[in-house]
Amino acid sequence: STQSTWELFRLLVEMLNGSDWCTIESDPGVFSELIRDIGVKGAQVEELYDLDPVGFEKLKPLYGLIFLFRWRAEDNDSRPTEAHVPGLFFASQVINNACATQAILSILLNCPHLDLGPVLTDFKEQTANFDYETRGLAISNVEQIRTAHNSFARPEPFVLDGSKKAGPDDDLFHFISYVPHNGFLYELDGLKPGPIKLGPCTEENWLAVATPEIQRRIALYAANEIRFNVMAVVKDRRLALTERLNVTTSLEEAQEIRQLIQNEDVRWSNWRVENVRRRHNYVPFIINMLRILGQKGQLKGLIEKARLKQAQSSSQAH
């Protein structure tokens, strides 16, 4: 049957490369560099600390929203999904640890205003007539996407068993996307059978439609969960600010915009430094430092000092 064939393909993907996609940190600097490394031009990711319309206005144009939340298997979501939406890119998630990258792709591939670059342009054209499951499989076969994703892998001192399944007490976090498309707002969750149509919208008011939906999702967990994150895929702030600079007639505003552009240049530079540090393997240095401290007879004293400090902190906390 079609279902059994799909399950066979899914198991095959998991066996071949399910553990080859690392978990990456949820950070705007990571995601912005990931977008650039895939070949997309003129886009970046901004972290949102509230859903204030004033804040949205400062970041326009916004291409889509990403919502990170703690996934629960017992969540009962009976909302209907769409079997087919002309022109909308949606892919089922078949790759472990790739939901962040897939959420970003779901926005990029549904934004007609972006220069996607050769990799995503070819991918979008080749998968245009694929069903949702096959698109998910296709993502796993794009080497450039996987390489960009895995470049943010954290160095580990030990090789762990990638086949280990999450237990009931493990925290599992999931990313979903919100994008406007042909007059409607859609929720794109690769773990669902298809996209969810949330309601009519325009290019101007879709954020006002998305905001109460995200607030509703947060309210479901409000009693015992505070770990949420909302990010926006936006136009590269330097490009957006430069466009403003080119049309302003106010010297005072021009000076302010130039300062904002400089601030963005500094931020991108800081992101690059932070990402280099994320990728660097500090484990050999730490192990060698511990070995030298042990040879000098200093390690035991430092351990006892750290234990005492930890005990004091614990007693003060209680």
Side-chain angles (χ1 to χ4, degrees):
S1 67
T2 302
Q3 183 66 25
S4 60
T5 302
W6 155 238
E7 290 298 331
L8 179 61
F9 272 117
R10 187 185 184 97
L11 289 171
L12 181 61
V13 169
E14 289 182 355
M15 286 189 294
L16 292 177
N17 59 28
S19 61
D20 290 343
W21 292 69
C22 68
T23 301
I24 62 177
E25 184 178 349
S26 175
D27 179 84
V30 170
F31 295 154
S32 294
E33 188 166 330
L34 173 66
I35 289 173
R36 188 197 65 183
D37 291 347
I38 293 174
V40 178
K41 298 178 181 178
Q44 68 181 68
V45 174
E46 288 281 346
E47 189 164 17
L48 303 178
Y49 299 101
D50 57 47
L51 298 173
D52 183 12
V54 176
F56 288 150
E57 196 65 33
K58 293 178 180 179
L59 294 175
K60 285 185 175 179
L62 281 82
Y63 303 134
L65 295 178
I66 300 170
F67 180 49
L68 168 66
F69 61 98
R70 183 172 177 267
W71 183 81
R72 301 185 303 192
E74 68 272 14
D75 286 347
N76 183 21
D77 189 349
S78 58
R79 293 175 297 168
T81 59
E82 303 292 316
H84 175 68
V85 181
L88 180 72
F89 179 89
F90 177 85
S92 298
Q93 183 182 325
V94 301
I95 310 167
N96 292 333
N97 301 326
C99 62
T101 295
Q102 186 156 331
I104 294 171
L105 292 176
S106 293
I107 294 175
L108 298 176
L109 292 166
N110 284 303
C111 183
H113 314 296
L114 277 178
D115 179 355
L116 295 177
V119 174
L120 287 193
T121 297
D122 290 347
F123 175 79
K124 187 175 182 179
E125 292 174 353
Q126 292 174 9
T127 61
N129 296 320
F130 288 6
D131 58 36
Y132 299 151
E133 292 84 3
T134 309
R135 283 179 186 166
L137 292 168
I139 291 174
S140 69
N141 291 322
V142 182
E143 187 61 32
Q144 294 93 328
I145 297 176
R146 187 191 338 212
T147 299
H149 174 100
N150 284 340
S151 71
F152 293 98
R154 287 183 175 275
E156 297 288 349
F158 306 104
V159 177
L160 302 177
D161 180 7
S163 63
K164 178 183 180 294
K165 299 298 182 181
D169 296 327
D170 292 334
D171 286 335
L172 301 175
F173 290 89
H174 186 50
F175 295 80
I176 60 177
S177 305
Y178 296 90
V179 295
H181 177 75
N182 287 349
F184 290 93
L185 179 70
Y186 290 92
E187 177 185 305
L188 306 181
D189 180 349
L191 297 181
K192 296 287 195 300
I196 298 174
K197 183 188 290 186
L198 297 176
C201 71
T202 66
E203 289 293 327
E204 290 72 34
N205 74 357
W206 72 269
L207 289 165
V209 181
T211 296
E213 176 59 27
I214 294 176
Q215 291 171 333
R216 181 191 69 81
R217 296 291 295 265
I218 292 176
L220 293 175
Y221 300 85
N224 54 12
E225 182 61 67
I226 61 172
R227 290 170 293 179
F228 303 99
N229 196 6
V230 182
M231 288 169 283
V233 179
V234 305
K235 187 169 189 174
D236 187 319
R237 299 299 301 143
R238 296 168 296 182
L239 294 180
L241 290 167
T242 300
E243 291 174 359
R244 280 181 55 194
L245 181 63
N246 291 337
V247 299
T248 185
T249 57
S250 167
L251 293 178
E252 183 178 352
E253 184 183 17
Q255 181 64 25
E256 179 183 344
I257 294 173
R258 289 191 184 95
Q259 183 59 53
L260 291 174
I261 293 174
Q262 290 179 11
N263 294 345
E264 288 298 319
D265 286 336
V266 170
R267 187 158 67 134
W268 273 89
S269 178
N270 290 339
W271 280 346
R272 283 191 289 271
V273 172
E274 291 168 2
N275 288 335
V276 167
R277 289 171 177 165
R278 285 185 175 96
R279 292 177 170 120
H280 185 73
N281 186 1
Y282 291 95
V283 173
F285 164 75
I286 295 171
I287 292 176
N288 196 45
M289 181 180 68
L290 293 174
R291 180 180 61 82
I292 293 173
L293 288 171
Q295 290 174 346
K296 292 184 176 181
Q298 299 175 2
L299 185 58
K300 184 176 180 180
L302 290 172
I303 293 174
E304 292 301 324
K305 185 177 179 180
R307 284 175 176 169
L308 178 61
K309 186 176 181 180
Q310 184 181 36
Q312 290 173 343
S313 298
S314 178
S315 63
Q316 291 173 359
H318 290 80

